[in-house]
Amino acid sequence: MNEPHPSATPAGPPIIELRAVSLDFDDKPILRRLNLRVERGQRMVIMGQSGAGKSTLLRLVLGILQPSAGTVLFDGAALNLASRRQMNAMRRRMGMVYQSSALISSLSVRDNLALPLEELTHKHHAEIDRIVEEKLALVGMEETGPLMPAELSGGMRKRVAIARALVMEPELLLFDEPTTGLDPVLAAVIDGLIIQLSERTHATSIIVTHELTSAFRVATRMAMLFHGRIVEEARPERFRTSSNPVVEQFIEGRTEGPIS
Ligand SMILES: Nc1ncnc2c1ncn2[C@@H]1O[C@H](COP(=O)(O)OP(=O)(O)OP(=O)(O)O)[C@@H](O)[C@H]1O
Ligand SMILES: [Mg+2]
């Protein structure tokens, strides 16, 4: 049992690899020679205390930030060596769901989803409409196209943000705190959606969260970010019983320990 099917063995380079990545903000080290590999098909949950650098790590993966040292590779290609054109091509293969949802408030739901397709592809209006409808249906938000973001609840906005991340059919989905601030039922719905999407589209997901219930629900791998490094990386069942003091403290929510 639990033996991976031969076809499930990852082929080729990891979709994301961070090699000895360091990042300083104003001489303050945030990441220090951090190593992490994310294989295709995984749902990698990255945990860590507030301010640990989780959102920063996602920005490095997106290529919005450049490391002070080290290399970020997407599908085996170093982001820092990519031309602007190559960088744009790589970004199209990634979808990002921001913590704040980050919908454009002056655009309808439909137009929020259509925007990347209009800007980055040569698809016709009818084709764009079809994709928008399809992605809204995937997140259970069909018929909300004409609504404005201000008319949506926080949970609905989150779903629309997920649908928007899907319009370019990305191979890699990045979620920054997808369930933080949602009620437990809605959090479970969003988690279910993340699992369903990754199974249906075979996309790889990196999910940043400090919600333990969500983390254990969605993860196929878990990593703990602490003092600028990944101090533990394992399957959820191994992670839960980790003897790493940082992981233990985080999971048990103890006030005493290495996390001050
Ligand atoms: N653009 C920036 N300029 C300067 N410092 C920054 C910048 N972005 C982030 N930081 C700092 O980097 C550190 C890590 O921030 P980051 O947002 O990655 O943390 P986080 O783990 O996502 O935290 P949270 O769980 O609260 O979202 C923080 O100390 C933050 O103040
Ligand atoms: Mg953050």
Side-chain angles (χ1 to χ4, degrees):
M1 223 184 89
N2 285 339
E3 276 296 306
H5 186 271
S7 67
T9 318
I15 187 146
I16 285 292
E17 185 172 4
L18 289 93
R19 283 192 197 150
V21 166
S22 297
L23 185 89
D24 305 333
F25 279 131
D26 313 320
D27 292 336
K28 190 176 140 206
I30 307 296
L31 304 179
R32 310 174 201 207
R33 297 188 63 78
L34 176 147
N35 294 305
L36 180 68
R37 289 164 69 103
V38 183
E39 304 288 353
R40 282 185 182 276
Q42 288 180 341
R43 287 190 299 274
M44 170 69 78
V45 166
I46 297 173
M47 285 189 282
Q49 72 209 104
S50 191
K54 304 182 297 296
S55 299
T56 301
L57 196 151
L58 291 186
R59 271 182 253 145
L60 284 165
V61 168
L62 274 171
I64 297 171
L65 275 178
Q66 290 295 330
S68 319
T71 315
V72 181
L73 298 110
F74 175 72
D75 199 14
L79 292 188
N80 61 317
L81 299 180
S83 66
R84 183 183 283 267
R85 243 188 70 177
Q86 288 167 325
M87 190 68 231
N88 286 338
M90 287 194 257
R91 278 214 195 113
R92 278 175 218 186
R93 294 164 65 191
M94 310 183 202
M96 171 79 185
V97 181
Y98 292 92
Q99 180 168 1
S100 57
S101 295
L103 300 175
I104 299 172
S105 59
S106 59
L107 296 181
S108 67
V109 166
R110 185 259 167 212
D111 289 349
N112 264 280
L113 265 70
L115 192 63
L117 294 163
E118 283 163 356
E119 289 192 338
L120 303 171
T121 74
H122 299 290
K123 292 186 194 300
H124 293 295
H125 193 82
E127 169 76 350
I128 291 179
D129 276 340
R130 190 193 60 73
I131 296 171
V132 168
E133 281 301 313
E134 178 194 300
K135 300 310 174 198
L136 285 176
L138 266 180
V139 300
M141 291 289 288
E142 49 274 81
E143 288 160 32
T144 61
L147 298 180
M148 299 302 283
E151 297 176 89
L152 307 176
S153 72
M156 291 164 87
R157 239 173 267 154
K158 192 74 80 179
R159 284 198 231 187
V160 171
I162 294 174
R164 183 180 56 181
L166 294 173
V167 292
M168 297 293 289
E169 316 242 307
E171 291 157 61
L172 178 65
L173 278 163
L174 308 172
F175 297 89
D176 198 351
E177 308 276 3
T179 57
T180 303
L182 301 182
D183 72 62
V185 176
L186 195 51
V189 170
I190 298 292
D191 290 340
L193 203 53
I194 293 172
I195 296 168
Q196 197 187 41
L197 290 172
S198 84
E199 286 175 356
R200 205 183 292 182
T201 65
H202 304 289
T204 310
S205 309
I206 303 179
I207 304 121
V208 155
T209 187
H210 36 52
E211 305 276 316
L212 282 176
T213 313
S214 282
F216 280 104
R217 199 152 39 202
V218 302
T220 62
R221 300 288 299 185
M222 290 177 133
M224 173 64 76
L225 177 60
F226 181 68
H227 282 181
R229 290 170 185 251
I230 300 296
V231 296
E232 180 74 291
E233 198 270 318
R235 285 161 59 170
E237 47 294 10
R238 284 270 315 275
F239 195 88
R240 198 190 285 280
T241 55
S242 168
S243 54
N244 183 302
V246 176
V247 178
E248 278 183 327
Q249 186 188 356
F250 198 86
I251 288 180
E252 289 166 22
R254 274 188 280 113
T255 50
E256 298 287 305
I259 307 173
S260 51

